[in-house]
Amino acid sequence: MTFKELCAQRYSVRSYTDEPVSEEQLAYILECARLAPSAVNFQPWHFYVVSSKEGLEALATCYNREWFRTAPLCIVCCIRHDEAWVRQADGKAHGDIDIAIATEHICLAAAEQGLGTCWVCNFDARRCSELLHLPENEEPAVLIPLGHIAPDATQKPKQRKAIEEIVTRR
């Protein structure tokens, strides 16, 4: 499969089977996240793998959607703000960018393994921090439910802007 085919194959999965993700698959996916680039190679991230029934139920209180409860595990992708590179010229912290890159590595690696994921950003981050007892320097940025795609999962056609709308040549 080409990289373009992998990108086209990946979609936001909102229905999972109860089959567990193998330790080998999870280790592979997390290794792909570890290899992600970051500004000045600071790697200002930490990933929490939540797979216990109690942990998943608690996490569901941060994002109360029935489909979210079907995933057998969830990776909480966190920014370590005190470790993020900050551009001196304008004070722009790059932690958000770095965690986005690493998170998409997780999603693409999962798709390559035949697993599904979904970016969840619309969640109660404060509650999530409390539930996971995160240190003050860490912010939960993205929840990534991960698992085997249920047979009834629906894939919406990708709607993307035309290349001419997003690229300017100078």
Side-chain angles (χ1 to χ4, degrees):
M1 174 181 344
T2 67
F3 184 69
K4 182 181 171 188
E5 290 167 336
L6 178 63
C7 291
Q9 174 186 310
R10 195 218 70 78
Y11 70 100
S12 296
V13 174
R14 291 183 175 89
S15 184
Y16 302 89
T17 71
D18 59 2
E19 180 182 350
V21 174
S22 75
E23 283 301 317
E24 294 78 20
Q25 287 175 312
L26 181 58
Y28 177 84
I29 291 164
L30 293 171
E31 178 65 7
C32 289
R34 189 184 74 81
L35 293 172
S38 63
V40 194
N41 197 30
F42 279 16
Q43 304 165 55
W45 46 57
H46 196 85
F47 305 97
Y48 294 86
V49 177
V50 180
S51 59
S52 71
K53 182 178 170 134
E54 300 80 21
L56 290 168
E57 281 299 316
L59 206 53
T61 67
C62 301
Y63 184 70
N64 190 15
R65 305 293 189 283
E66 195 56 41
W67 71 264
F68 184 74
R69 297 172 186 273
T70 67
L73 71 84
C74 184
I75 300 175
V76 181
C77 305
C78 297
I79 305 164
R80 288 186 166 169
H81 288 289
D82 59 334
E83 297 179 15
W85 179 73
V86 178
R87 185 169 49 211
Q88 288 185 357
D90 61 3
K92 165 80 174 125
H94 280 65
D96 285 347
I97 295 168
D98 294 339
I99 198 65
I101 296 166
T103 300
E104 189 57 11
H105 273 52
I106 288 169
C107 294
L108 290 170
E112 187 223 5
Q113 294 290 302
L115 300 170
T117 59
C118 185
W119 277 73
V120 175
C121 297
N122 181 23
F123 66 98
D124 187 337
R126 180 174 285 133
R127 176 146 179 77
C128 184
S129 292
E130 292 168 359
L131 289 170
L132 295 176
H133 307 288
L134 298 182
E136 208 171 283
N137 67 317
E138 284 187 16
E139 173 194 355
V142 185
L143 305 179
I144 299 293
L146 180 128
H148 293 271
I149 302 168
D152 66 346
T154 56
Q155 180 177 359
K156 296 178 184 174
K158 287 194 187 286
Q159 295 181 343
R160 299 295 188 261
K161 293 179 180 180
I163 198 77
E164 300 78 20
E165 292 181 66
I166 63 168
V167 175
T168 300
R169 295 177 184 257
R170 299 203 179 204

